[in-house]
């Protein structure tokens, strides 16, 4: 973790407060800023210099609890940032010399709550009845292994191959499997690798999970340029990357107060004015590895690279909704839902999220239906052919592979809106969490990170100065103030 130093001097630094675009990403020091009516920006990058560095480098950031990185961590990290610890079954009777042995046939009889839900793993038997409701990926997913081995599923969802996940499973051990792992009930299920067709990624990205694929940008690259190159932009996926044939692609608009609409990508591009803007997107778990140095936090071990700044091209969400008939005075509509094409191969659940209607319809909010990133069509990992960009709002609401937009009086009911991406006080843990007691994260707090030199690096001080590079960003249209 970067620690405070005696003096941090921002040489010639000014804060970049692009309130309309909901971000303030500062590459401190002299830069030029030119805006045209389409929202293009030109920058001249500068650096920060620090004097008298003796005890480390400073990075001011707002520490906030964001427990729910669940569906990734939940869905795809078995302890996904949210698995509340369910009560373990009773331990073997005192004095018992060893756990009982069960046959595969006996295990196979335990496939529901009435008989108990048993699974096998590496030659042992586990009664997970008390855990299935708390499973971060949902009961439907874990029940696929009921009465048999979980090993084929863990071979696909490799996020389970973590010590913390195995420790949870160990709580539910009730016996041994006769014949060992090779005797697991029934033939091994055929599990298709839903991630086999994921796109290739640049090797410089720092992989945090392979299935689903999540990676961050090396800190030095973030500090090198205000605009993050597309191939080096962090990737946050919750599910397999869909393959979309743009020839058959349609975006649907439906719900309260609007007329049903359906647009091809070509129709969106031809019927609505194109806008280009620069905006930052950040994963809500960015810098979690630093949080773990303060207090244990479950989730992907992001450093400071789960953030990126790009130029986005597309059409304004406000324009599309107004064309479909939405009135800003319509009291029936309180939320705008975004539904993606990324889908769980087993449960068929799709990724979805929502933002308040005032965010979506704010003329100064610049919520964009983007089909370009850094001047080129979106890549598959970043939402091809269409995604929503909500400047200043948590990355989880910037839904990729957009298939449907719905107007509604209620917030999205999706897992990622209701049981993930929420913040609680430090006194809340997974035994007493009440998900409905906290709102879904929308606007994000300020964060600032030093990217160069890296933490722990040996540096030399020339003329009493050392060059320091990093970023500062504030969501919700707030400026960065030192």
């Amino acid at each position: 973790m970067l620690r405070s130093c005696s003096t941090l001097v921002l040489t010639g630094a000014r804060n970049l407060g692009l309130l309309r675009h909901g971000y303030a990403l500062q590459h401190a020091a002299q830069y030029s800023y030119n805006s045209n009516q389409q929202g293009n920006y030109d920058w001249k990058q500068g650096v920060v210099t620090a004097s008298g560095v003796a005890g480390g480098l400073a990075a001011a950031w707002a520490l906030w609890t964001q427990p729910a990185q669940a569906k990734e961590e939940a869905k795809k990290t078995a302890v996904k940032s949210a698995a509340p610890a369910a009560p373990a079954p009773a331990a073997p009777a005192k004095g018992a010399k060893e756990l009982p042995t069960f046959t595969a046939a006996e295990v196979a009889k335990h496939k529901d709550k009435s008989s108990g839900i048993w699974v096998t793993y590496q030659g042992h038997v586990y009664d997970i009845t008390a855990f299935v409701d708390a499973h971060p990926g949902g009961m439907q997913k874990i029940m696929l292994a009921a009465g048999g081995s979980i090993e084929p599923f863990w071979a696909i969802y490799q996020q389970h191959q973590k010590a913390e996940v195995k420790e949870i499973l160990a709580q539910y051990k009730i016996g041994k499997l006769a014949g060992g792992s090779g005797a697991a009930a029934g033939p091994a299920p055929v599990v298709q690798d839903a991630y086999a067709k994921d796109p290739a990624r640049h090797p410089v990205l720092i992989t945090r999970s392979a299935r689903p694929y999540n990676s961050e940008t090396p800190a030095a690259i973030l500090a090198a340029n205000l605009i993050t190159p597309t191939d080096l932009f962090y990737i946050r996926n919750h599910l397999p990357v869909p393959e979309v044939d743009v020839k058959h692609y349609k975006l649907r608009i439906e719900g309260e107060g609007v007329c049903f609409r359906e647009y091809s990508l070509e129709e969106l591009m031809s019927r609505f004015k194109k806008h280009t803007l620069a905006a930052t997107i950040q994963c809500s778990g960015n810098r979690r590895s630093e949080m773990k140095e303060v207090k244990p936090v479950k989730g992907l071990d992001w450093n400071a690279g789960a953030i990126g700044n790009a130029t986005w091209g597309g059409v304004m969400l406000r324009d599309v909704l107004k064309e479909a008939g939405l009135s800003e005075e319509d009291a029936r509509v309180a939320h705008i839902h975004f539904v993606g094409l990324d889908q769980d191969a087993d449960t068929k659940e799709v990724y979805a999220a929502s933002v308040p209607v005032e965010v979506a319809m704010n003329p100064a909010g610049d919520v964009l239906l983007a089909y370009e990133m850094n001047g080129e069509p979106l890549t598959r990992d970043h939402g091809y052919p269409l995604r929503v960009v909500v400047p200043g709002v948590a990355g989880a609401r910037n839904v990729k592979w957009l298939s449907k937009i719905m107007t509604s009086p209620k917030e999205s009911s999706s897992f990622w809106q209701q049981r993930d991406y929420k913040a609680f006080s430090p006194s809340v843990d997974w035994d007493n969490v009440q998900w409905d007691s906290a709102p879904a994260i929308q606007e994000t707090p300020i964060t600032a990170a030093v990217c160069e030199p890296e933490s722990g690096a040996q540096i030399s001080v020339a003329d009493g100065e050392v060059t320091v590079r990093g970023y500062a960003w504030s969501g919700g249209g707030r400026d960065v103030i030192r």
Side-chain angles (χ1 to χ4, degrees):
M1 175 180 284
L2 296 166
R3 311 201 184 277
S4 298
C5 64
S6 55
T7 308
L8 183 64
V9 180
L10 303 184
T11 302
R14 290 187 295 151
N15 293 323
L16 166 62
L18 297 184
L19 303 188
R20 291 196 41 154
H21 296 153
Y23 84 141
L25 185 60
Q26 172 179 296
H27 257 214
Q30 302 129 11
Y31 53 77
S32 61
Y33 163 59
N34 297 305
S35 171
N36 59 31
Q37 291 182 346
Q38 292 182 319
N40 294 303
Y41 302 97
D42 298 319
W43 299 91
K44 180 178 179 182
Q45 176 193 342
V47 298
V48 183
T49 63
S51 303
V53 178
L57 301 171
W61 59 298
L63 178 62
W64 54 295
T65 44
Q66 187 255 329
Q69 282 294 339
K71 209 98 174 185
E72 137 221 3
E73 287 119 331
K75 200 150 197 224
K76 301 254 145 243
T77 297
V79 164
K80 160 188 171 174
S81 92
K94 185 176 181 180
K97 294 182 178 180
E98 62 179 23
L99 293 172
T101 298
F102 301 98
T103 66
E106 289 177 298
V107 174
K109 295 177 182 178
H110 295 270
K111 302 176 68 173
D112 55 43
K113 288 187 175 181
S114 61
S115 61
I117 301 168
W118 292 10
V119 297
T120 67
Y121 178 68
Q122 294 187 344
H124 292 90
V125 180
Y126 302 83
D127 181 352
I128 60 170
T129 310
F131 177 75
V132 292
D133 288 328
H135 181 237
M139 181 176 177
Q140 184 178 3
K141 172 76 74 174
I142 200 170
M143 288 300 292
L144 294 171
S149 173
I150 61 173
E151 292 176 53
F153 300 96
W154 282 20
I156 295 298
Y157 301 110
Q158 295 180 3
Q159 293 79 359
H160 295 78
Q161 304 294 344
K162 290 185 174 183
E164 60 187 27
V165 179
K166 294 178 182 179
E167 288 172 5
I168 291 177
L169 180 65
Q171 300 177 61
Y172 303 98
K173 184 189 294 185
I174 59 171
K176 299 178 181 178
L177 179 64
S181 296
V190 177
V191 182
Q192 298 294 330
D193 185 355
Y195 298 92
K197 295 184 178 180
D198 270 17
R201 283 93 180 194
H202 198 290
V204 78
L205 291 171
I206 303 168
T207 301
R208 296 304 178 194
S209 71
R211 293 179 176 85
Y213 184 79
N214 291 285
S215 63
E216 64 180 286
T217 309
I221 293 175
L222 284 176
N225 191 30
L226 184 65
I227 299 299
T228 312
T230 302
D231 288 346
L232 307 183
F233 203 97
Y234 88 97
I235 298 171
R236 178 67 177 95
N237 295 334
H238 297 82
L239 297 164
V241 177
E243 291 186 293
V244 182
D245 184 349
V246 73
K247 294 179 181 178
H248 303 292
Y249 172 79
K250 295 286 186 180
L251 173 67
R252 299 175 61 184
I253 313 293
E254 59 185 57
E256 298 284 348
V258 296
C259 299
F260 176 82
R261 293 284 190 272
E262 200 170 56
Y263 301 104
S264 66
L265 182 62
E266 183 179 356
E267 288 171 331
L268 283 171
M269 296 171 70
S270 62
R271 293 180 60 174
F272 298 95
K273 179 181 177 181
K274 180 182 178 181
H275 295 260
T276 302
L277 59 89
T280 298
I281 297 179
Q282 175 185 243
C283 176
S284 297
N286 191 33
R287 306 181 70 182
R288 183 181 285 116
S289 62
E290 296 177 49
M291 298 180 190
K292 287 186 173 181
E293 294 188 24
V294 178
K295 178 180 179 181
V297 181
K298 295 176 182 178
L300 293 180
D301 289 331
W302 297 112
N303 285 332
I307 187 172
N309 193 46
T311 57
W312 307 93
V315 300
M316 290 297 173
L317 172 63
R318 170 185 169 88
D319 293 346
V320 176
L321 291 177
K322 290 184 71 175
E323 196 278 337
L326 181 62
S327 168
E328 297 174 63
E329 287 75 39
D330 194 331
R332 296 173 296 173
V333 179
H335 301 273
I336 305 298
H337 297 207
F338 307 114
V339 181
L341 288 166
D342 44 336
Q343 181 181 74
D344 187 285
D346 298 312
T347 66
K348 307 305 179 185
E349 182 178 15
V350 296
Y351 188 86
S354 64
V355 299
V357 67
E358 57 267 24
V359 172
M361 296 295 286
N362 184 354
D366 290 344
V367 180
L368 196 72
L369 302 181
Y371 47 77
E372 287 182 359
M373 181 179 182
N374 292 334
E376 299 290 338
L378 293 171
T379 61
R380 286 183 61 203
D381 265 324
H382 295 295
Y384 177 83
L386 192 72
R387 70 173 297 164
V388 62
V389 174
V390 191
V393 170
R397 316 303 169 210
N398 290 247
V399 176
K400 300 187 284 188
W401 310 292
L402 195 60
S403 68
K404 187 192 306 183
I405 299 172
M406 297 188 297
T407 55
S408 174
K410 297 182 179 180
E411 194 177 48
S412 172
S413 61
S414 83
F415 176 95
W416 296 274
Q417 192 83 17
Q418 299 302 325
R419 294 179 64 83
D420 198 356
Y421 298 107
K422 291 189 174 184
F424 299 89
S425 73
S427 64
V428 175
D429 58 31
W430 300 116
D431 293 321
N432 61 21
V433 62
Q434 297 293 325
W435 289 102
D436 292 340
S437 68
I441 293 172
Q442 294 286 345
E443 296 179 355
T444 53
I446 191 169
T447 185
V450 171
C451 298
E452 289 184 326
E454 294 185 1
S455 179
Q458 293 186 354
I459 59 176
S460 60
V461 179
D463 299 325
E465 293 186 345
V466 59
T467 299
V468 178
R469 293 184 175 88
Y471 65 76
W473 178 69
S474 183
R478 291 178 294 271
D479 202 353
V480 175
I481 301 172
R482 187 185 186 283

